[in-house]
Amino acid sequence: MTDFEGLEALGLILPLAALLGVGLRRLGLPPLIAYLGTGLLLGPLTGVVSPSHSVDLLGEVGIALLLFVVGLELSAARLRNAGLLVLRAGGAQVVLTAGAAWLLGPLLGFTGSQQPIFALALTFSSTVVAVRLIADRRALDEPWGQVSVGVLLVQDLVVILSLTVLAGVVLDPTARAGAGLVIGIVRALGGTLLLIAALALAAKWVLPRLFTWGQRSLETLFIWSLAWCFLSILAAEQLGLSVELGAFVAGVTLAQLPHGPEIERRAAPLASVFLALFFVTLGLRIDPTMALADPRALAAIVAFALIFKPLLLVLLLRPLGAEGAVMAALSLSQLSEFSLILAAVAGEAGLLVDDQVALLGMATLLSMAASALTFPLAHRWVALARRLGLIAEAGVEAVEREDGTTSITGARVLVVGMNPLGRALVERLHAHGAATVAIDTDGGKLA
């Protein structure tokens, strides 16, 4: 049997990934599973393709472009529109989920410096899977869909902070604790601030003129945006930071330009291709025998993603109502592609051993598949949440006051949009005794 390496392996990787992607799409499963499956089939299961530097390089480009596109989505307007509910629920979800996973880690063999990596890996949800599930439901413009995307946005910011701290550990591989670890993290944070300051100044004084001059050609804008991305990556590497951080900051700076949305539309397809190659290369390194060596740990991690995370989110998102809270929670009930990236980077840094990286990879794969399969049954989970009392739908009773006016007791009303009409409606409902929850893309209108 021929052992393919390098670029010639793409002749097998891309066609197989495309075929698996089409087949799994018909089953309602995300294409990311097809990419990981391609790596498993061609690598550990058959040995047809071997990991190589050239294939790994394409995967690294995929990670960088993914973070670049994530950064392009973080315009100042979008951050302002996140809303108080998203910030509170997203922040609480990250803290509480990471705390619970921190306690679970030692029971599954993740101790010492491995514990925070494990906790963070179980905290994130998949942007690729969740957005696809919400879009298939045509709910991206519904309140629960917008809140789900907002929670993912909060998680993305934590991902970048995590990669920055991890870069601090990698700076000094011999120091995993004590003063050496603190010095490495401080150096990484200092380099991050310097990188952000330099790119922000360039974005204010240099980029607007360059992109305005080249706006007559969309192809020129796209090439310049990629040049800016890789220039930022180069600057990050010179400062001892991760390439992911450089790409992310480059995307954020371009997102503040008027051309940001157009750049994002053109960069997303290219990022998808290279991201597929990253997950294929990751699949090449996931040894199923290692991942299945401890089925108890594998089951515990998958159950954590499918049961604990959505239950926590249901409680945090109660203002959305029973159906909205359950739908949002189920859309986020899986591990993330960033969990894989974090585990892979930690593995390369020597913080995780191979069987732990394989375990997290297999758990991510299974949780994504299970999430995609269970989400269409969301209406049943809504009924179950009501029966368990996680979200009580109170009855509504109209009581006549002594002055002849009516008081509405037991009512819970969700008002979407705090324009003058929405504000007047909230004030009138509140005056009649109804409990109201308001949602608006402008957090200032909720004050």
Side-chain angles (χ1 to χ4, degrees):
M1 180 179 295
T2 303
D3 188 6
F4 292 89
E5 295 182 359
L7 293 177
E8 66 270 15
L10 295 181
L12 293 174
I13 291 174
L14 292 180
L16 181 57
L19 289 174
L20 287 178
V22 172
L24 293 181
R25 186 71 181 91
R26 293 180 177 274
L27 298 176
L29 297 175
L32 194 150
I33 296 177
Y35 307 147
L36 286 169
T38 299
L40 286 170
L41 287 174
L42 295 179
L45 297 181
T46 63
V48 174
V49 176
S50 298
S52 65
H53 174 71
S54 56
V55 175
D56 288 344
L57 179 60
L58 294 174
E60 291 179 11
V61 173
I63 301 175
L65 290 177
L66 171 64
L67 271 297
F68 179 59
V69 172
V70 170
L72 285 170
E73 297 174 351
L74 295 183
S75 64
R78 187 163 187 176
L79 289 174
R80 287 194 302 267
N81 293 342
L84 296 179
L85 176 61
V86 166
L87 295 178
R88 285 197 299 263
Q93 182 270 324
V94 168
V95 172
L96 295 176
T97 305
W102 184 285
L103 298 176
L104 177 64
L107 301 177
L108 305 181
F110 291 82
T111 58
S113 60
Q114 300 168 346
Q115 206 167 346
I117 302 297
F118 177 79
L120 288 170
L122 268 61
T123 297
F124 308 129
S125 301
S126 172
T127 301
V128 175
V129 175
V131 171
R132 174 58 62 87
L133 293 176
I134 298 170
D136 287 347
R137 196 93 178 188
R138 294 182 175 86
L140 286 173
D141 294 328
E142 294 186 17
W144 70 265
Q146 293 179 343
V147 168
S148 298
V149 174
V151 171
L152 290 169
L153 178 63
V154 174
Q155 293 181 1
D156 290 343
L157 296 176
V158 177
V159 167
I160 297 304
L161 179 61
S162 303
L163 290 173
T164 301
V165 173
L166 187 57
V169 178
V170 176
L171 281 174
D172 187 2
T174 63
R176 299 302 187 197
L181 176 61
V182 173
I183 292 174
I185 293 176
V186 170
R187 287 175 59 190
L189 292 176
T192 299
L193 294 177
L194 179 60
L195 177 68
I196 292 174
L199 296 187
L201 290 174
K204 182 176 182 179
W205 299 107
V206 179
L207 293 184
R209 296 181 181 180
L210 286 177
F211 279 81
T212 299
W213 180 65
Q215 65 183 355
R216 296 179 182 178
S217 171
L218 295 178
E219 289 76 13
T220 300
L221 288 179
F222 180 53
I223 294 300
W224 282 3
S225 66
L226 291 181
W228 177 248
C229 173
F230 288 103
L231 183 63
S232 302
I233 289 174
L234 177 61
E237 286 193 326
Q238 294 301 311
L239 293 172
L241 304 173
S242 65
V243 297
E244 295 86 0
L245 178 64
F248 175 78
V249 177
V252 172
T253 54
L254 291 182
Q256 315 314 315
L257 301 178
H259 316 289
E262 178 61 34
I263 296 173
E264 180 186 351
R265 283 193 294 271
R266 289 181 169 266
L270 181 63
S272 298
V273 174
F274 281 95
L275 185 63
L277 293 174
F278 164 73
F279 287 113
V280 170
T281 59
L282 190 60
L284 291 173
R285 285 177 164 78
I286 295 178
D287 188 342
T289 58
M290 287 186 179
L292 298 175
D294 190 351
R296 180 182 64 91
L298 181 62
I301 295 173
V302 174
F304 185 93
L306 296 177
I307 299 175
F308 177 81
K309 284 175 66 176
L311 286 177
L312 175 63
L313 282 165
V314 165
L315 297 176
L316 294 175
L317 299 176
R318 291 184 69 173
L320 289 173
E323 183 173 359
V326 172
M327 296 295 290
L330 288 178
S331 69
L332 301 173
S333 62
Q334 71 283 129
L335 300 185
S336 171
E337 57 272 11
F338 290 119
S339 302
L340 294 173
I341 292 172
L342 195 65
V345 174
E348 293 176 0
L351 294 175
L352 296 180
V353 296
D354 290 342
D355 59 344
Q356 291 174 327
V357 175
L359 177 63
L360 288 173
M362 185 61 70
T364 300
L365 179 64
L366 294 176
S367 70
M368 288 178 174
S371 174
L373 291 173
T374 57
F375 187 75
L377 304 176
H379 61 285
R380 298 184 181 180
W381 300 111
V382 172
L384 178 61
R386 286 172 173 158
R387 286 198 299 270
L388 294 176
L390 295 175
I391 299 181
E393 296 292 339
V396 179
E397 181 182 358
V399 179
E400 187 174 349
R401 294 172 175 160
E402 294 181 358
D403 59 2
T405 61
T406 301
S407 173
I408 307 174
T409 62
R412 296 179 180 179
V413 182
L414 177 66
V415 178
V416 180
M418 287 295 286
N419 54 22
L421 176 60
R423 184 172 292 277
L425 181 60
V426 169
E427 293 174 353
R428 182 68 61 87
L429 289 168
H430 183 71
H432 284 277
T436 58
V437 175
I439 295 178
D440 195 281
T441 57
D442 186 355
K445 294 181 180 180
L446 301 176

